[in-house]
Each structure stands twice: as C-alpha cells, then as structure tokens.
Amino acid sequence: MAMAMNVSSACFCVSSYRRSVNRVRAVASEDFAASKIKEDKVQLGGSDLEVTRLGIGAWSWGDTSYWNNFEWDDKKMKAAKAAFDTSVDCGITFFDTAEVYGSRFSFGAINSETLLGRFIKDRKVKDPEVEVAVATKYAALPWRLGRQSVLTALKESLNRLGLSSVELYQLHWPGIWGNEGYIDGLGDAVEQGLVKAVGVSNYSESRLRAAYEKLKKRGIPLASNQVNYSLIYRAPEENGVKAACDELGVTLIAYSPIAQGVLTGKYTPENPPSGPRGQIYTPEFLTKLQPLLNSIKEIGQNYSKTPTQVVLNWLVAQENVVPIPGARNAEQAEEFAGALGWRLTSDEINELRSLALEIKPVIGFPVEKL
C-alpha cells in the first residue's frame, strides 16, 4: 500500500510538473507571439508613425444606436475593457475611435473616446511602459467651418481621452462644404504637436488626391484613408481608392473588415444579425453567402484558423492595408490576433476573391460618394 502510495505520489508529482511545464511553455509561446506582433509593425503612409498590422475598432464601445441591441450597461463596459486589455496582451496596440462613437449626438450612452482613455489610464497603472497608438476622428458636421473647428474638436477629443496628443487624427467623412479648411486644420494640428500623423476617412479617389496634394505643399504626408473594405465589400478596388492609396503611399485602413460579423460564419439565413445590421444582411443575402463561407471555413481548417482569421488575413495579404475589426470582448480580441503571423497562399487568395465576385455587394456608407 505504501509503495502504491509512493508510486501514485510520484506520478502525481511528474504529472503536476508536466502540467506546470506545459503552462510555462504556453505562456512563453503566447508572450513570444505577442512580442512578434508588436515588433512586426507597418509605417502609416509616408509618416513616421508605425502601428501594428492590425488594429482594433472601438465603434461599438458605448454605442446604443447601432450596436449592443440599443443597451449599454456595466457588463458591456467590462467586456469592452477586457477586449482592450486582451488586445494589448496579444501585442495589438493600435486603437481607432471617433468623437461621434457613443456620443449624445449619435444617441450613445458614453463616448468611446472616454472609455478608451480610461482603459489606457488603468493599463498604465499596472504597466507604465505600455505604448498605445490612438487614432480618432473629426466629424465634418455642416455647421463646422474653417481650420479652427478642427483644432477645437481635436482638443475636446484629447480632453475625453485624457491625452496631450494622439498618434493619428482623421477627417471622419468629407464635408458638404469647407473641406479645404478641414485639411488646413489637420496640417495645423501636426505643426502644433497635437498629432503625429493625419488621415482622412471615406474619401473618394479625387478627394484623396486633393487632400494629399494640399498637405504635401506644407511638407506633411497624408498617412491614411480609412474606408469600408472587406472580402464582400471591395468598392475601394473598383472606385480607384485602393490603387490611388498604393500609388501615393497612403495606407488604407479597412473598417468593417469582417462585414460587421457576417464573414465570421456566426450568422445564417435562420439566424440573421439583430438590430440595423439585420436590414442589411438579410436571410436572402446570407443564403447567397453560404458557398463563400464554406470555402473560408475549409481553408481555415488547413491552418487551424477560424473564418474570422482567414478573412482578416486575406485583407492583410492585399498589401498596404491595416484592418481594424471591432472587438466587444476578450474572446474576439484574442481571435483577431490570430489573423497575424501566417499567410494565405496566392491560390487561396484568388479562390476567395473569385467566390466573392458572385455576391452582390451590400450598400456602403453614403458619404463615400460625396
């Protein structure tokens, strides 16, 4: 009996040791992967700013008009904070927000900038050396005129974020008028040290080129153009925006890169998205999407990757593209990080594109055509 107990005890010790070693190896592997993501950064356009190859969009944080089933509570806030912390743990340190996200203007509960600022402050308490790249955006509202309106809005954003400067400041959409003044305001923000780099969002090819040239005269590079771009929404390839970005050395930041969750395979014709997304991604559309989703899933199995990771990797493979999927919880953030560190083959990239061509694209953000 004593011998049996000794053998059992020895087995337990060996087993415990093995589990301990495996845990150490797993943690070491995760730390190594995170450090690789941190190191593998891309330069944003012609600016000096470098960001991770994939960022996190904070559109849903605090929002109650489009996301979160029109509700925001403590549980959702904790989930958003977990998404932030997990992203940083995984090496993703580029976060995109906007002054209108979660704002009263857009019928939100709490401003996304405010939440992001809190998350950064809390993180720095336990990790003072952490470096987070923040991108936010100016809302080109019709009553806002002139370059000073850009600086005023930026300072209000900085106040909500609790920061003295941000890495990237973007014009959220082209204005109905006053665009030259807005571009002047971006240049002033750079010269005053309030931002490291400037960009635009939802800009057409002609507007992109005009903004690029106007800033160039001041010796300031246009770093980025943030547009709707995914495997099933390839308007930037068709309207000249992607080609212009590549030609001018302007990074394309892709919002809605997983088509607001539709490319994850989570939704089916029997289980469409809730809220406003359900009006866009209808059961009829989801039925036509199934062959593409099946192919995405099959390709992912070859790499032990999820459909989400496959479609994000497809975008990264287009070159000069930084996807910014929205993370609402820790699980999503961790999954997004798994889209990096590997690459689809050319045949797989082309196969997915070929299948996607058979799907009629959904409607985009109307301001893209301004």
Side-chain angles (χ1 to χ4, degrees):
M1 184 71 174
M3 182 178 290
M5 288 181 66
N6 287 337
V7 170
S8 176
S9 179
C11 288
F12 174 77
C13 289
V14 170
S15 175
S16 297
Y17 171 75
R18 284 175 178 163
R19 285 199 298 270
S20 176
V21 169
N22 286 338
R23 279 198 299 271
V24 170
R25 284 175 178 164
V27 170
S29 176
E30 289 169 5
D31 288 346
F32 177 75
S35 67
K36 287 295 290 180
I37 290 174
K38 284 180 183 176
E39 292 168 7
D40 187 23
K41 291 185 176 182
V42 292
Q43 185 177 340
L44 216 57
S47 73
D48 294 330
L49 177 61
E50 291 188 344
V51 299
T52 46
R53 286 187 176 272
L54 184 145
I56 296 295
W59 176 13
S60 68
W61 296 359
D63 177 76
T64 52
S65 62
Y66 193 85
W67 300 98
N68 303 307
N69 293 319
F70 311 108
E71 296 176 343
W72 185 258
D73 52 28
D74 190 58
K75 183 179 179 181
K76 288 186 173 68
M77 186 177 71
K78 288 178 179 177
K81 186 177 188 304
F84 171 84
D85 283 325
T86 301
S87 298
V88 175
D89 290 341
C90 291
I92 297 175
T93 55
F94 180 40
F95 294 86
D96 178 83
T97 183
E99 64 171 319
V100 296
Y101 294 166
S103 70
R104 284 179 294 176
F105 174 77
S106 61
F107 307 103
I110 182 171
N111 198 289
S112 172
E113 291 176 325
T114 301
L115 291 173
L116 179 56
R118 288 179 188 174
F119 299 163
I120 294 171
K121 183 178 179 180
D122 290 346
R123 182 73 186 209
K124 282 187 174 288
V125 170
K126 68 173 184 176
D127 186 4
E129 302 302 314
V130 69
E131 293 184 1
V132 174
V134 174
T136 192
K137 298 186 279 295
Y138 167 86
L141 302 169
W143 54 86
R144 283 179 161 175
L145 299 172
R147 64 207 303 166
Q148 188 56 46
S149 69
V150 176
L151 293 173
T152 299
L154 171 55
K155 289 173 182 176
E156 290 171 352
S157 287
L158 292 174
N159 185 55
R160 284 187 291 270
L161 286 159
L163 300 172
S164 59
S165 66
V166 289
E167 280 65 32
L168 177 66
Y169 196 49
Q170 307 151 94
L171 302 180
H172 205 154
W173 58 81
I176 299 173
W177 48 68
N179 286 287
E180 289 200 357
Y182 298 154
I183 300 298
D184 287 336
L186 290 183
D188 295 344
V190 173
E191 292 175 354
Q192 292 183 27
L194 298 174
V195 300
K196 290 183 179 177
V198 290
V200 292
S201 180
N202 297 300
Y203 266 47
S204 65
E205 179 190 358
S206 60
R207 287 190 179 277
L208 173 70
R209 290 185 183 277
Y212 174 89
E213 291 298 334
K214 190 166 181 59
L215 286 169
K216 184 180 178 181
K217 290 176 182 177
R218 296 176 68 172
I220 297 171
L222 179 65
S224 59
N225 185 16
Q226 184 179 144
V227 295
N228 187 350
Y229 187 30
S230 72
L231 181 57
I232 59 170
Y233 190 83
R234 299 175 309 286
E237 297 176 357
E238 298 155 3
N239 59 22
V241 166
K242 175 69 165 67
C245 283
D246 294 345
E247 175 196 333
L248 300 174
V250 174
T251 300
L252 190 155
I253 299 176
Y255 71 76
S256 295
I258 53 177
Q260 300 178 15
V262 171
L263 286 173
T264 67
K266 174 182 178 181
Y267 302 109
T268 64
E270 297 74 33
N271 177 40
S274 60
R277 289 179 297 158
Q279 303 301 312
I280 302 171
Y281 303 106
T282 62
E284 181 185 8
F285 179 86
L286 291 169
T287 299
K288 295 176 181 177
L289 194 61
Q290 291 312 300
L292 174 61
L293 291 177
N294 291 337
S295 182
I296 291 169
K297 185 176 181 180
E298 289 173 10
I299 289 173
Q301 289 171 346
N302 297 333
Y303 299 92
S304 298
K305 295 293 181 180
T306 67
T308 298
Q309 292 165 339
V310 170
V311 295
L312 289 173
N313 192 274
W314 184 90
L315 271 178
V316 172
Q318 305 309 306
E319 303 296 345
N320 193 37
V321 176
V322 175
I324 51 166
R328 288 191 279 173
N329 54 56
E331 292 74 23
Q332 289 178 346
E334 187 173 5
E335 183 177 22
F336 296 156
L340 302 177
W342 60 286
R343 188 180 177 93
L344 294 166
T345 66
S346 296
D347 286 345
E348 289 164 340
I349 291 167
N350 293 333
E351 177 187 341
L352 293 177
R353 180 184 291 278
S354 178
L355 286 170
L357 286 171
E358 299 177 14
I359 299 164
K360 183 180 179 181
V362 296
I363 188 170
F365 196 19
V367 295
E368 291 174 318
K369 294 179 170 57
L370 281 177

